[in-house]
């Protein structure tokens, strides 16, 4: 919850609100459709925003409770809890102050509920272990739909490289991949 400075969160929310108003006006002015130039600007804004978020997270702001292997273990167990029943877990990286997850919700289960369950369960267990109270995770998540094979490969590579991009030691992050990804890349499980 403290992985991004609050003033930055507020500024990013304000910027997003400005963009939403801009997009709504552009659509209203064009019979409900966004002009190609506006859509291209929106896409570029989204890419810049995502790069900024990733960079901020990798700077290691906040308490970094997940630097502790026990806490990462709790998050990893939560991510695997619904494996095969509610989702297909493909990969994850648990960083000191955030996590990246690549999964496919199974029929009848949506990502928002899965994410809420993972956050709730892991927060309760970590708070119990640390004798802390209050929010562990941010309320919002930054999810994206994988649209094609190239995007899938990019997501797998990002998860694999994120700890080294953030200059973490091997004992400061947990990275996991399903057997299919390991076999396809000739990685040890």
């Amino acid at each position: 919850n403290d992985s991004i400075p609050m003033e930055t969160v507020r500024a990013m929310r304000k910027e997003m609100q400005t963009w939403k108003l801009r997009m709504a006006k552009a659509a209203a002015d064009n019979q409900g459709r966004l002009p190609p130039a506006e859509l291209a600007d929106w896409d570029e804004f989204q890419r810049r925003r995502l790069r900024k978020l990733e960079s901020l997270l990798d700077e290691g702001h906040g308490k970094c409770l997940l630097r502790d292997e026990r806490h990462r273990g709790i998050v990893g167990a939560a991510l695997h809890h619904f494996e095969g029943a509610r989702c297909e877990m493909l990969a994850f990286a648990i960083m000191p102050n955030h996590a990246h997850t690549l999964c496919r919700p199974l029929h009848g289960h949506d990502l928002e509920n899965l994410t809420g369950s993972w956050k709730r369960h892991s927060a309760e267990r970590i708070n119990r272990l640390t004798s802390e109270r209050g929010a562990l995770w941010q309320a919002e998540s930054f999810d994206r739909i994988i649209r094609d094979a190239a995007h899938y490969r990019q997501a797998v590579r990002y998860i694999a490289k994120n700890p080294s991009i953030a200059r973490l030691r091997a004992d400061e992050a947990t990275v996991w991949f399903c057997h299919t990804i390991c076999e396809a890349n000739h990685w040890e499980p």
Side-chain angles (χ1 to χ4, degrees):
N1 193 39
D2 61 356
S3 62
I4 300 174
M6 190 47 69
E7 63 273 6
T8 304
V9 170
R10 282 192 286 272
M12 290 179 80
R13 284 181 181 153
K14 185 177 179 181
E15 185 179 34
M16 178 61 82
Q17 186 60 32
T18 300
W19 269 97
K20 286 181 177 180
L21 292 171
R22 176 179 167 179
M23 295 291 99
K25 183 179 180 334
D29 291 347
N30 292 280
Q31 297 148 352
R33 293 194 172 155
L34 286 176
E38 285 291 329
L39 193 53
D41 287 349
W42 168 250
D43 288 342
E44 180 55 30
F45 163 72
Q46 297 264 60
R47 279 190 288 279
R48 276 194 326 269
R49 183 174 189 261
L50 183 57
R51 282 192 303 270
K52 181 178 182 175
L53 281 170
E54 289 169 350
S55 177
L56 283 165
L57 290 170
D58 289 342
E59 288 173 8
H61 295 280
K63 293 179 185 174
C64 293
L65 289 174
L66 302 179
R67 194 178 304 275
D68 185 316
E69 185 176 1
R70 295 170 301 166
H71 303 160
R72 289 194 315 273
I74 289 169
V75 174
L79 293 173
H80 282 299
H81 184 75
F82 295 120
E83 172 66 27
R86 296 184 187 176
C87 71
E88 177 183 7
M89 186 56 62
L90 302 167
F92 60 75
I94 305 169
M95 306 291 284
N97 63 2
H98 67 284
H100 298 281
T101 305
L102 180 61
C103 73
R104 183 175 64 87
L106 298 179
H107 181 71
H109 301 283
D110 64 37
L111 185 59
E112 186 176 339
N113 287 335
L114 284 166
T115 304
S117 180
W118 294 327
K119 287 179 175 183
R120 195 171 36 261
H121 178 73
S122 61
E124 288 171 3
R125 295 222 24 232
I126 291 171
N127 279 343
R128 202 173 316 128
L129 189 64
T130 61
S131 300
E132 295 278 333
R133 298 180 74 163
L136 178 76
W137 299 102
Q138 286 183 343
E140 60 190 317
S141 296
F142 302 95
D143 54 351
R144 286 171 299 291
I145 296 172
I146 302 294
R147 303 244 179 235
D148 54 35
H151 189 190
Y152 178 79
R153 285 189 301 276
Q154 178 187 7
V156 169
R157 276 193 306 272
Y158 183 83
I159 288 171
K161 292 179 180 182
N162 195 225
S164 63
I165 290 168
R167 297 187 174 107
L168 298 176
R169 296 184 318 264
D171 65 339
E172 294 180 298
T174 299
V175 180
W176 178 89
F177 295 98
C178 69
H179 71 279
T180 306
I181 292 174
C182 290
E183 287 175 6
N185 290 284
H186 309 290
W187 296 339
E188 291 294 319

